[in-house]
C-alpha cells in the first residue's frame, strides 16, 4: 500500500472533510476521494461515512487510523534518520518507550531534568505495553523503555538489562465531588455499591482480585477504550476506577485520587539493550533521573527491591495495569 494514501486517509479523519483534506494536501477533492475508495477496496471494508457536516471514520476506519498514524510517524522518523546520516549528523535522538501511565507520569519530568543537565538532546517518546516495548528494545528501536512487571510479567531475557525503579501502588480515582474525595486510605468494601469503569481485561481482573481478597465484589459495568476514556467516565460521574499511583500528579483537575488500604502494587523498571557498543550515551543518565523522580514521589516504595526478587527476574505483583 502507498503511504501517500494512508496520509490522505489520516488527514481526512483529522479534518473531517474531503475538501479540507484536499486543500491541506494540495490535491483535488476527487483525487482524495479516489484514494480513500481505493484503500477501502484493498481492505474490503468501509473506512469513512458521511454525516451532515462532512465525513468521519467508521469503527473499522478508526482502528485503521490509529495504526496508520503510528506507521506514518515511524516512516517519518526513518526518513529523518537517513537524512541525518546523509548530512553527517552524529547526535542520534534518544528514543524512549514507556507504558501509557508512565509516559503520562514520571517520564516527562525525568526527561526535563535530563535536558536541564545535558543541554539540547533530541529525543522522542513512544508509548506501548510492556511486552511490546520489550520487543522494540530487542529490535533496536528503543534506547530505553520504562515498563512494569504487571501480569503477564516481564520476560527473562539476557539480551536486555533490567534495572528496578520502585513499586507503584494502585489508587482509586473518584469524581471531584464524591463523598470520599479527600479522605485517607479507604477500604475497597466501602466502594462496594459503586459502578466501576475499566479499560482492559487485566485491569478488571486486578480489581476483582483485590475486592475478592477483602470479601467484597466490584461491579464493573462500564468499559473504556483507553486510560483517558476511563478517566473521562470518572470525571463525568458515571463511575470510579483503579489507576496506577504514578498518575496521581498528572490527573485531570475534575477527578481526585484516594489511597486504598493494602493496595495492589506493581514493579517499575527500565530496560536497555545489553549491547554496550550501541548504547545511547544518554540512556544511563536518564535512568538515574527516572530513579530520582520516582523516589521523590514514592520514597518508601522506591527504596528497596521487592523482597526475594532477583534483579534479573520479574516481580509478580497482583496488578496487571501498564
Amino acid at each position: 500500500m502507498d503511504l501517500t494514501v494512508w496520509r490522505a486517509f489520516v488527514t481526512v479523519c483529522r479534518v473531517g472533510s474531503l475538501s479540507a483534506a484536499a486543500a491541506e494536501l494540495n490535491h483535488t477533492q476527487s483525487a482524495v476521494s479516489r484514494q480513500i475508495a481505493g484503500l477501502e477496496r484493498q481492505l474490503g471494508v468501509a473506512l469513512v461515512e458521511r454525516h451532515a457536516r462532512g465525513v468521519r471514520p467508521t469503527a473499522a476506519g478508526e482502528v485503521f487510523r490509529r495504526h496508520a498514524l503510528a506507521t506514518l510517524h515511524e516512516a517519518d522518523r526513518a526518513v529523518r534518520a537517513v537524512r541525518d546520516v546523509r548530512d553527517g549528523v552524529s547526535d542520534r535522538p534518544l528514543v524512549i518507550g514507556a507504558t501509557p501511565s508512565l509516559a503520562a507520569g514520571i517520564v516527562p519530568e525525568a526527561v526535563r531534568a535530563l535536558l536541564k543537565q545535558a543541554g539540547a538532546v533530541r529525543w522522542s517518546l513512544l508509548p506501548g505495553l510492556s511486552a511490546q516495548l520489550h520487543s522494540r528494545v530487542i529490535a533496536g528501536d528503543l534506547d530505553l523503555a520504562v515498563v512494569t512487571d504487571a501480569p503477564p510479567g516481564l520476560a527473562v531475557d539476557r539480551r536486555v538489562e533490567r534495572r528496578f525503579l520502585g513499586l507503584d501502588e494502585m489508587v482509586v480515582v473518584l469524581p471531584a465531588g464524591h463523598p470520599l474525595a479527600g479522605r485517607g486510605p479507604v477500604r475497597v468494601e466501602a466502594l462496594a455499591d459503586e459502578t466501576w469503569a475499566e479499560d482492559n481485561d487485566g485491569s478488571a481482573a486486578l480489581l476483582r482480585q483485590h475486592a475478592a481478597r477483602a470479601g467484597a465484589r466490584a461491579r464493573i459495568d462500564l468499559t473504556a477504550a483507553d486510560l483517558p476514556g476511563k478517566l473521562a467516565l470518572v470525571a463525568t460521574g458515571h463511575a470510579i476506577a483503579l489507576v496506577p499511583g504514578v498518575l496521581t500528579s498528572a490527573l485531570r483537575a475534575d477527578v481526585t485520587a484516594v489511597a486504598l488500604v493494602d493496595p495492589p502494587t506493581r514493579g517499575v523498571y527500565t530496560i536497555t539493550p545489553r549491547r554496550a557498543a550501541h548504547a545511547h550515551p544518554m540512556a544511563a543518565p536518564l535512568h538515574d533521573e527516572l530513579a530520582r523522580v520516582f523516589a521523590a514521589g514514592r520514597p518508601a516504595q522506591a527504596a528497596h527491591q521487592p523482597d526475594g526478587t532477583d534483579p534479573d527476574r520479574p516481580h509478580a505483583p497482583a496488578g496487571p495495569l501498564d
Side-chain angles (χ1 to χ4, degrees):
M1 294 183 183
D2 185 355
L3 289 186
T4 301
V5 178
W6 290 33
R7 201 175 299 278
F9 172 72
V10 168
T11 304
V12 167
C13 292
R14 175 168 54 82
V15 301
S17 164
L18 291 172
S19 59
E24 182 173 320
L25 296 167
N26 198 26
H27 294 169
T28 64
Q29 180 173 338
S30 60
V32 172
S33 181
R34 287 195 301 271
Q35 288 174 321
I36 302 303
L39 190 57
E40 290 178 324
R41 286 194 299 271
Q42 286 181 292
L43 295 174
V45 64
L47 297 177
V48 296
E49 59 187 3
R50 295 187 180 275
H51 61 93
R53 289 174 292 180
V55 296
R56 61 190 168 208
T58 63
E62 176 58 22
V63 170
F64 184 73
R65 184 197 66 82
R66 292 198 299 267
H67 288 280
L69 188 59
T71 299
L72 291 169
H73 285 164
E74 286 298 299
D76 291 341
R77 288 181 59 239
V79 171
R80 288 196 300 269
V82 170
R83 288 175 177 168
D84 285 346
V85 173
R86 180 197 64 190
D87 298 338
V89 178
S90 59
D91 57 328
R92 64 183 176 92
L94 174 65
V95 186
I96 308 160
T99 64
S101 60
L102 295 165
I106 66 170
V107 174
E109 178 65 25
V111 171
R112 181 173 68 172
L114 176 69
L115 298 180
K116 186 176 180 179
Q117 291 188 15
V121 176
R122 292 191 301 148
W123 64 284
S124 60
L125 175 60
L126 304 177
L129 299 180
S130 292
Q132 298 168 337
L133 297 173
H134 178 273
S135 298
R136 299 195 72 171
V137 168
I138 296 299
D141 296 336
L142 301 175
D143 296 304
L144 177 146
V146 194
V147 298
T148 80
D149 60 8
L154 295 174
V156 177
D157 194 327
R158 297 296 173 179
R159 294 173 293 179
V160 303
E161 179 178 358
R162 183 166 70 247
R163 300 174 67 186
F164 180 66
L165 292 176
L167 291 179
D168 183 28
E169 292 186 350
M170 310 300 292
V171 298
V172 63
V173 178
L174 309 171
H178 193 280
L180 293 178
R183 298 198 179 181
V186 300
R187 296 186 178 276
V188 71
E189 304 97 295
L191 304 169
D193 295 331
E194 299 282 351
T195 295
W196 294 78
E198 278 302 345
D199 59 338
N200 63 71
D201 291 340
S203 176
L206 168 59
L207 175 57
R208 291 190 178 102
Q209 291 166 9
H210 179 66
R213 286 197 300 270
R217 178 177 176 270
R219 193 177 74 246
I220 304 173
D221 289 341
L222 296 176
T223 301
D226 50 24
L227 189 55
K230 182 161 70 172
L231 292 175
L233 289 172
V234 175
T236 49
H238 295 293
I240 64 175
L242 195 70
V243 302
V246 292
L247 278 177
T248 302
S249 62
L251 289 173
R252 47 192 290 173
D254 47 5
V255 302
T256 184
V258 175
L260 286 167
V261 174
D262 189 25
T265 63
R266 60 183 190 162
V268 180
Y269 299 79
T270 62
I271 56 174
T272 53
R274 284 195 185 272
R275 305 186 306 276
H278 300 283
H280 194 287
M282 289 294 105
L286 177 59
H287 166 86
D288 294 340
E289 290 299 337
L290 287 162
R292 182 190 63 78
V293 171
F294 195 97
R298 291 160 185 78
Q301 300 170 40
H304 60 84
Q305 181 79 358
D307 292 343
T309 301
D310 184 284
D312 283 332
R313 296 184 59 190
H315 174 53
L321 263 181
D322 273 308

